[in-house]
Amino acid sequence: MIINDDKLPDLPPPPSTVGVIGWLRTNLFSSWLNSLLTVIVGYLLVINLVPLIDWAFLTSDWIGETREDCTSGGACWVFISVRLDQFIYGFYPEELYWRINTMYVIGVILITALIIESTPKKPLIAAFTLIIFPIIAFYLLYGGAFGLEVVETHKWGGLTLTLVLACVGIVASLPFGVLLALGRRSEMPIVRSLCTAFIEVWRGVPLISVLFMASVMLPLFVSGETHMDKLVRALIGITMFQSAYMAEVIRGGLQAIPKGQYEAAMALGLNYWKSMGLIILPQALKLMIPGIVNTFIALFKDTSLVLIIGLFDLLAIVQAALSDPKWLGYSVEGYVFVAFVFWVFCFGMSRYSQGLEKKLHTGHGAR
Amino acid sequence: MPAEVNKSLAPASKPKFWNDPDKRAIIFQILIVTMVVAFVAHIVNNALTNLETRGITTGFGFLTQTSGFDILLTLIPYDATYSFGRTFLVGLFNTLLVSFLGVALATILGFVLGVARLSNNWLISKAAMCYVETFRNIPLLLQIFFWYVAVLGPLPSPRQSIELGSAFINNRGFYIPSPVLEAGFWFVVIAFFVAIGACIYLSRWNHKRQDATGQQFPVFWASVGLLIGIPLVVYFLAGSPMTWDYPALKGFNFKGGAVIIPELMALLLALSIYTAAFIAEIVRSGIEAVSKGQTEASHALGVSNGRTLQLVVIPQALRVIIPPLTSQYLNLIKNSSLATAIGYPDLVSVFMGTTLNQTGQAIEIILMTMAVYLTISLLVSLLMNWYNKRMALVER
């Protein structure tokens, strides 16, 4: 009997399958078609990206006061930095910027607290963010109490206005959305059809027609003497529109709750509002957060439409700055800046909602 | 509150009528209806008094008045002497034009990108991902402005146009040769419809034959041949009844040919690029939803790669893709109303914009416009639902 204990050592893998070369072979040049595509796409990327990077960073100007400071031939970011205050605060009086800043600081603290997983007493903070914070923000922005000077809404603008529109739209549409969603799932035929009709009508028309309606038709609907602020009108339009979308998100969340939960609530003798408020909605709302964040992203992008009815949100204020005779011809810089701001917000939120979706996906066997 | 009433455990002989859920529901609904009716009546009343004090007459009579303004792009004959009713139609057709082209372009681009996102080529899948993440996170209105102001705005004047063969690009638009159809062209159109009929017949015949004998016939290539071949043969038999009208520089602008105005180009580019980003994600998740076992099973049966994609993966992926794709189409149609920001004469721009300003008939005009969008949305959903039903799994 021959026993050979000296096993031959493992041979190293062929050099063409490991390391940089191996990675290139499997990921870029696995077949002749792939190689061809890699070369073509790579070439297209290089000829487009290199001048772009050169324009945006290498030959661009960042510091200065006037357009004469832009001498390098690339992007003129001086245009943005000179007008940055206006782009963020709109026409808000300069000495009162601290009020907006305070609001931002409180908002950022609250939202960070909500995002971080280990924060204690989250429901309390969420309730504070949704109910008390808007009131504080209103008095900080508008004034009129606690010795704060009134700042009329036509002076609001820029990024602040964009955020105000999006946040008010989403917060105000939550309660309406819950009611509409419950109504659509109700067993009462008249309530159900009224809610369904309301939701489908608003979802079937473009936001721009809703904004036109809010700015032109709404003044006709209130009795003659009441004067309605332009911003308030836009907010009413946005809220109505958004609550229809919100209702559909919430309906989706309600449907994901297993029927046993409804039956258990009924078996405990809870009435409709108690079973919804104590059993169904707390579970469903958690499932809905990704959907709500997604509608918020959509709304955040859509707020740029208010420029058509003459409000100065971020896009509109940059658009207006582009026609300043001192800064003609810098439209690309202006648009790239706005795009970047919107992109940072939307991309961040979508990443957050994706992460949340992944987290919620595990363990919840409903459906 | 009913919960408080129920506190005593004494056996009730007959529930009070407010404890009967059915009766309570009826009362509740009557209340809701009363409130809605009262609210609507209040609004209508307010609107009527307000209109009266402003001296605006209600009604749709304005639709027959002369409009008195010109429109940049019209698909049907129109000038300033036509009525507002005609303006409405012109706007509607322009909306339909941009929606149709946008849907077609976005679908093609979106499917290509969605497949590219799943490519095993690292560079291509990452490039597609960057595209999707960039364009869907930037507001559409900004993209429209970007194309219109920053890209198409600085194009040269007609005299310095960029020449592409017999097409020209300048700041007035994209000038292309247009076909001029002569009398005999009808035969070609008829031949084309005959070819479509032949294709349908061929596919039915192939189905029957495959069921009976198991043999297959290359229907796709035969159909392509028929669709191109028959009209082409008829075209030459009829003596080439079509000529091209080439654009040429006359004075300060081009004459002849067809022109795609920059507003339409900017809108189309923005709409299709933006929507394609969403469609790409839908296509990707649809294809990923088909389990890998399906592909492997198909390969194990000896079906080729291409046929696997065609017969196994795509039919199953389409079921997942179609419902969200429908809502993207609807979004695109609704988003085409942003045309008004750059002055492309769509329904919102010429009707809810110009016509409303000239007549002041806010309520009628806004309701008409909303009704149009609602109808379009409804029709598209019906169409796509019908298609979805055809594609859906037939369960036995």
Side-chain angles (χ1 to χ4, degrees):
Chain A
M1 198 166 88
I2 304 165
I3 298 171
N4 188 358
D5 271 340
D6 327 316
K7 282 180 192 148
L8 287 175
D10 287 347
L11 283 177
S16 63
T17 59
V18 287
V20 178
I21 297 173
W23 185 86
L24 284 177
R25 273 182 77 108
T26 44
N27 289 310
L28 293 179
F29 302 101
S30 57
S31 65
W32 66 267
L33 184 68
N34 257 338
S35 311
L36 189 73
L37 284 173
T38 305
V39 171
I40 294 173
V41 172
Y43 173 72
L44 286 176
L45 283 178
V46 166
I47 59 165
N48 284 306
L49 284 184
V50 169
L52 189 72
I53 291 168
D54 183 54
W55 173 83
F57 300 106
L58 300 181
T59 59
S60 60
D61 293 285
W62 296 81
I63 25 181
E65 290 294 316
T66 59
R67 65 180 298 156
E68 278 70 41
D69 294 317
C70 290
T71 47
S72 331
C76 180
W77 300 120
V78 179
F79 168 58
I80 306 296
S81 58
V82 166
R83 287 176 169 264
L84 195 61
D85 274 355
Q86 199 190 22
F87 292 165
I88 294 176
Y89 304 104
F91 309 110
Y92 215 78
E94 216 173 320
E95 65 279 6
L96 298 177
Y97 280 175
W98 64 270
R99 277 160 55 174
I100 295 184
N101 290 336
T102 321
M103 183 192 77
Y104 280 153
V105 169
I106 301 176
V108 167
I109 291 173
L110 284 174
I111 287 169
T112 325
L114 283 176
I115 288 177
I116 294 173
E117 236 175 278
S118 52
T119 320
K121 294 192 178 155
K122 247 187 186 175
L124 212 66
I125 302 176
F128 184 81
T129 317
L130 289 178
I131 299 162
I132 315 278
F133 176 61
I135 300 172
I136 299 175
F138 171 78
Y139 281 116
L140 276 174
L141 275 177
Y142 185 76
F146 314 114
L148 294 173
E149 194 185 324
V150 171
V151 181
E152 291 296 333
T153 54
H154 63 83
K155 288 188 182 159
W156 302 11
L159 184 62
T160 311
L161 184 67
T162 299
L163 287 170
V164 164
L165 284 167
C167 294
V168 173
I170 213 80
V171 172
S173 67
L174 252 177
F176 292 112
V178 170
L179 285 181
L180 283 169
L182 291 178
R184 194 171 179 170
R185 280 170 64 80
S186 151
E187 277 160 15
M188 297 180 247
I190 294 176
V191 173
R192 190 173 57 224
S193 40
L194 275 177
C195 289
T196 312
F198 184 90
I199 293 171
E200 293 305 326
V201 165
W202 290 116
R203 272 159 44 93
V205 298
L207 176 59
I208 197 168
S209 65
V210 177
L211 287 174
F212 262 111
M213 188 184 139
S215 76
V216 182
M217 255 164 93
L218 218 53
L220 293 175
F221 287 159
V222 291
S223 53
E225 292 78 42
T226 350
H227 169 73
M228 262 175 126
D229 190 88
K230 205 194 232 169
L231 179 64
V232 174
R233 277 183 278 162
L235 279 175
I236 291 176
I238 288 178
T239 307
M240 300 238 273
F241 182 77
Q242 200 57 32
S243 50
Y245 283 86
M246 192 59 95
E248 288 299 277
V249 171
I250 290 168
R251 190 165 69 106
L254 289 177
Q255 274 171 354
I257 302 298
K259 210 171 168 229
Q261 296 286 328
Y262 290 87
E263 285 163 358
M266 244 188 280
L268 286 175
L270 297 177
N271 69 24
Y272 180 77
W273 291 108
K274 277 193 176 165
S275 66
M276 283 300 157
L278 296 174
I279 311 284
I280 306 299
L281 281 177
Q283 299 184 67
L285 276 170
K286 221 193 263 150
L287 289 180
M288 288 167 212
I289 295 174
I292 293 176
V293 176
N294 286 343
T295 44
F296 184 73
I297 296 173
L299 176 65
F300 189 72
K301 284 186 289 176
D302 278 348
T303 50
S304 54
L305 265 62
V306 295
L307 87 85
I308 291 165
I309 58 165
L311 286 172
F312 284 94
D313 78 314
L314 180 62
L315 179 56
I317 214 156
V318 173
Q319 183 94 336
L322 293 178
S323 53
D324 179 350
K326 275 191 276 179
W327 289 99
L328 280 182
Y330 289 117
S331 53
V332 178
E333 282 87 343
Y335 290 136
V336 168
F337 168 72
V338 181
F340 178 72
V341 173
F342 272 103
W343 187 85
V344 167
F345 274 94
C346 295
F347 185 72
M349 287 189 280
S350 77
R351 271 296 129 104
Y352 172 68
S353 102
Q354 277 166 18
L356 216 55
E357 247 167 82
K358 235 175 239 161
K359 212 178 76 190
L360 290 175
H361 200 68
T362 52
H364 214 287
R367 210 177 289 270
Chain B
M1 279 284 116
E4 289 154 25
V5 182
N6 260 343
K7 260 178 196 160
S8 67
L9 287 173
S13 52
K14 204 174 161 218
K16 296 270 178 4
F17 80 97
W18 59 78
N19 276 348
D20 183 344
D22 291 336
K23 283 179 187 142
R24 241 182 13 216
I26 292 172
I27 295 170
F28 186 66
Q29 295 191 66
I30 291 173
L31 264 175
I32 293 259
V33 170
T34 327
M35 270 158 63
V36 170
V37 168
F39 182 69
V40 171
H42 175 72
I43 278 181
V44 168
N45 185 34
N46 273 342
L48 287 178
T49 29
N50 279 330
L51 287 173
E52 210 169 296
T53 49
R54 291 181 200 190
I56 302 171
T57 47
T58 47
F60 290 92
F62 74 98
L63 287 175
T64 51
Q65 288 169 19
T66 314
S67 70
F69 61 88
D70 269 321
I71 295 177
L72 198 58
L73 172 76
T74 55
L75 295 178
I76 48 175
Y78 177 86
D79 61 48
T81 59
Y82 280 94
S83 66
F84 284 123
R86 189 78 168 186
T87 315
F88 171 76
L89 282 183
V90 170
L92 177 59
F93 280 123
N94 284 342
T95 292
L96 292 179
L97 172 76
V98 76
S99 308
F100 180 76
L101 293 176
V103 162
L105 284 176
T107 310
I108 297 170
L109 192 58
F111 270 76
V112 169
L113 283 164
V115 174
R117 187 93 160 64
L118 290 172
S119 162
N120 52 11
N121 186 319
W122 182 86
L123 188 66
I124 288 179
S125 91
K126 285 289 172 271
M129 191 189 84
C130 287
Y131 174 96
V132 169
E133 291 299 347
T134 311
F135 285 102
R136 72 172 183 174
N137 284 323
I138 296 175
L140 177 61
L141 187 62
L142 175 58
Q143 296 192 30
I144 294 176
F145 278 134
F146 180 80
W147 289 108
Y148 187 61
V149 179
V151 177
L152 299 177
L155 283 175
S157 66
R159 281 167 176 280
Q160 279 93 40
S161 314
I162 303 162
E163 208 178 320
L164 304 165
S166 46
F168 301 88
I169 299 180
N170 58 46
N171 58 10
R172 306 267 185 92
F174 185 28
Y175 289 80
I176 48 171
S178 61
V180 182
L181 308 180
E182 283 156 25
F185 197 76
W186 278 111
F187 292 115
V188 183
V189 177
I190 293 168
F192 182 70
F193 282 107
V194 170
I196 292 178
C199 290
I200 294 170
Y201 177 76
L202 189 70
S203 112
R204 288 206 179 146
W205 169 80
N206 173 52
H207 233 115
K208 268 189 201 148
R209 197 176 77 137
Q210 196 182 349
D211 285 348
T213 66
Q215 282 171 314
Q216 284 183 344
F217 185 78
V219 180
F220 179 75
W221 294 112
S223 303
V224 171
L226 280 175
L227 284 177
I228 298 172
I230 297 183
L232 209 66
V233 169
V234 173
Y235 175 76
F236 285 114
L237 282 181
S240 309
M242 186 179 81
T243 51
W244 290 95
D245 181 18
Y246 293 101
L249 192 63
K250 294 230 174 74
F252 290 107
N253 207 349
F254 280 89
K255 290 264 156 52
V259 57
I260 304 171
I261 54 173
E263 288 81 6
L264 177 59
M265 263 201 283
L267 193 62
L268 260 187
L269 275 170
L271 275 177
S272 42
I273 286 175
Y274 180 74
T275 315
F278 290 91
I279 293 181
E281 279 297 272
I282 291 168
V283 170
R284 179 185 67 90
S285 65
I287 294 178
E288 275 181 347
V290 179
S291 75
K292 211 169 170 224
Q294 298 280 330
T295 320
E296 285 167 355
S298 170
H299 283 164
L301 287 173
V303 182
S304 74
N305 239 334
R307 297 292 276 178
T308 302
L309 209 63
Q310 186 195 341
L311 295 173
V312 178
V313 179
I314 291 179
Q316 297 189 66
L318 274 183
R319 273 182 217 135
V320 186
I321 290 173
I322 289 173
L325 189 65
T326 310
S327 60
Q328 284 309 321
Y329 286 170
L330 294 177
N331 279 348
L332 189 143
I333 295 169
K334 283 183 275 170
N335 282 336
S336 73
S337 59
L338 294 185
T340 180
I342 55 168
Y344 172 79
D346 81 321
L347 184 64
V348 170
S349 172
V350 297
F351 199 59
M352 211 151 76
T354 322
T355 307
L356 198 155
N357 279 341
Q358 296 211 348
T359 60
Q361 308 277 4
I363 295 180
E364 295 86 343
I365 286 177
I366 288 176
L367 288 186
M368 270 175 85
T369 316
M370 284 185 157
V372 166
Y373 279 102
L374 266 181
T375 317
I376 297 176
S377 297
L378 222 61
L379 286 180
V380 174
S381 328
L382 281 179
L383 194 74
M384 292 302 272
N385 280 347
W386 169 79
Y387 184 64
N388 194 27
K389 227 172 239 163
R390 278 201 47 182
M391 280 291 159
L393 198 64
V394 185
E395 284 175 4
R396 289 173 218 271

